[in-house]
Amino acid sequence: MTPVWLVLNIGSSTIKFGVYACADGAPLARGAIDGVGLAPRLNAVLQGVPAQIAVPPAMDDTRRLTRWLLALLEDRLGPLDLRAAGHRVVHGGRDFGAPTLLTPEVIARLEALSPLAPGHQPFNLAGVAAVAEHWPGVPQVGCFDTAFHQHRPTVAKLYALPRRYAEEGILRYGFHGLSYDYIASRLPSVLGDRARGRVIVAHLGSGASLCAMQGLESVETTMGFSALDGLVMGTRCGQIDPGVLLHLLRQGMDAAELETLLARQSGLLGVSGLSPDMRSLLASDAPEAAEAVELFLRAVIRQIGALTAGMGGLDALVFTAGIGQHAPAVRARILQALAHLGLEMDAAANDANATLLTVPGSRVTAAMIPTDEEAVILAGLQQCPGAAG
């Protein structure tokens, strides 16, 4: 049997995975199941061969679907000698700032954080349970989206609430840390000397946030206590006046209804009434679609301006994630709006999804770098004490 590592990056609607040989880290399988809970579909590369594989009907439960995926991988790749599994875990709270062995006690503490990330954490932990059922006793490691932001100054984490609430854990944690960690590792090769300067990374996808970096480390980010805050997202509201929430509660909406509204019925979907998918909205002639796109752009541009002011200037702007990587029209609108900062867009490079998006000599550099959260999870898995290799 081939000794391997398994990486799982599980969200509410997607299961991304990778199987890597322990000997040299070569990928034996990589892919994703999209449409979990609706119409799941699997696209993968198995031993270098692209494959589209039908998902059995009624597979709408993350834990069962992950068990099916693990069995499929062994069927296609042959029996696997799994040495350890690594998982994306969205919320690590105050205590988990590095890849951590997922003991029963650690899992219980992470389950207690589920109310802080209800659209993510339970799905992450369902993958842990599925692996434990399929390969009992195999070490598993959690890699945390909040970890990259954990070393920001205390004042960057505080809300203007009585101090006791911060002591109870009501803080600005920040998310998308695995993505930002990967992008930070790529910045020196893409930006050269500017990499360690004042950089804003825009992770723009169905979930979206910005991270201001200096010295390749997070100094500020747009998400806070939960993954609802900050930018307009696919189905999430982003920044909102808390008075709106108080008003809705006074009108009789309960916490569960409010959570559904803010996390699953708002954002691009809510404003457009059509779709949470930026591609569909850009292709639509509906005025509501145009308004949703404009609201998204305004939020991004406004927050880039705020982060730039906080750092005292900007040396580089980097786009990543689904919209950031594949929507030249969105990038163009943002770069044009920020031309006053010194961004001189290369329109041809932007249209071609090139790495560098600005002309030579631009005072501020713009770039597009595809993210790879699974690579960060694999590295964390390899480095974590207690994870056999």
Side-chain angles (χ1 to χ4, degrees), residues 1-7 19 22 70 74 79-85 131 134-135 138-140 388:
M1 291 194 294
T2 304
V4 298
W5 288 300
L6 171 70
V7 167
V19 179
C22 291
L70 301 180
E74 285 212 288
L80 299 175
D81 178 12
L82 184 64
R83 298 301 176 86
V131 172
H134 194 81
W135 283 294
V138 167
Q140 300 195 66

Side-chain angles (χ1 to χ4, degrees), residues 181-205:
D181 194 343
Y182 178 78
I183 298 301
S185 74
R186 291 288 320 281
L187 290 180
S189 64
V190 173
L191 300 180
D193 292 341
R194 295 190 180 191
R196 302 190 69 85
R198 300 163 298 184
V199 179
I200 294 175
V201 180
H203 178 106
L204 305 181

Side-chain angles (χ1 to χ4, degrees), residues 50-388:
Q52 291 184 325
I53 301 169
V55 176
M59 279 284 182
D60 55 359
D61 173 82
T62 297
R63 188 161 166 173
R64 289 177 59 228
L65 190 50
T66 305
R67 287 287 310 268
W68 171 82
L69 172 64
L70 301 180
L72 173 78
L73 291 173
E74 285 212 288
D75 179 64
R76 296 299 181 95
L77 301 177
L80 299 175
D81 178 12
L82 184 64
R83 298 301 176 86
H87 299 263
R88 176 195 181 200
V89 180
V90 164
H91 215 307
R94 289 178 294 180
D95 299 330
F96 299 106
T100 301
L101 198 64
L102 295 175
T103 63
E105 187 268 338
V106 169
I107 292 171
R109 291 164 68 186
L110 295 175
E111 287 174 340
L113 293 172
S114 288
L116 307 189
H120 298 84
Q121 197 92 337
F123 301 101
N124 305 152
L125 298 178
V128 176
V131 172
E133 291 167 356
H134 194 81
W135 283 294
V138 167
Q140 300 195 66
V141 173
C143 299
F144 305 97
D145 255 347
T146 48
F148 187 73
H149 307 291
Q150 196 172 60
H151 301 293
R152 289 172 300 148
T154 298
V155 70
K157 303 176 188 177
L158 292 175
Y159 286 105
L161 295 171
R163 179 70 66 167
R164 67 180 182 274
Y165 292 103
E167 293 167 356
E168 293 171 7
I170 298 180
L171 297 164
R172 299 188 68 251
Y173 291 100
F175 298 90
H176 291 139
L178 298 180
S179 176
Y180 292 131
D181 194 343
Y182 178 78
I183 298 301
S185 74
R186 291 288 320 281
L187 290 180
S189 64
V190 173
L191 300 180
D193 292 341
R194 295 190 180 191
R196 302 190 69 85
R198 300 163 298 184
V199 179
I200 294 175
V201 180
H203 178 106
L204 305 181
S206 59
S209 68
L210 305 174
C211 179
M213 298 183 191
Q214 290 185 275
L216 304 178
E217 295 184 352
S218 173
V219 295
E220 188 57 276
T221 188
T222 54
M223 282 183 171
F225 177 71
S226 76
L228 288 172
D229 198 11
L231 306 180
V232 175
M233 297 173 242
T235 64
R236 287 174 254 169
C237 61
Q239 187 177 38
I240 189 170
D241 182 342
V244 173
L245 312 184
L246 294 172
H247 170 75
L248 294 173
L249 290 170
R250 292 191 188 107
Q251 295 299 308
M253 187 174 285
D254 63 27
E257 292 170 325
L258 190 58
E259 180 183 321
T260 297
L261 171 68
L262 301 178
R264 294 187 283 280
Q265 298 175 345
S266 298
L268 295 175
L269 174 64
V271 176
S272 72
L274 299 170
S275 174
D277 192 313
M278 180 63 75
R279 293 167 296 187
S280 299
L281 299 180
L282 290 171
S284 174
D285 293 329
E288 295 85 358
E291 286 181 347
V293 173
E294 181 66 23
L295 198 62
F296 175 89
L297 291 167
R298 282 173 175 247
V300 174
I301 293 162
R302 182 173 63 248
Q303 293 289 348
I304 289 174
L307 294 178
T308 298
M311 292 191 293
L314 184 65
D315 298 306
L317 173 63
V318 178
F319 295 93
T320 194
I323 298 171
Q325 293 168 211
H326 303 298
V330 170
R331 292 195 305 261
R333 293 275 300 277
I334 294 168
L335 293 172
Q336 289 162 356
L338 298 172
H340 65 282
L341 296 179
L343 285 150
E344 298 181 58
M345 181 178 65
D346 183 330
N350 182 58
D351 289 343
N353 287 325
T355 299
L356 294 178
L357 307 174
T358 41
V359 301
S362 177
R363 184 158 55 86
V364 178
T365 300
M368 187 279 289
I369 304 175
T371 194
D372 191 345
E373 295 170 328
E374 292 75 42
V376 177
I377 299 170
L378 177 61
L381 175 59
Q382 294 167 328
Q383 297 162 8
C384 180

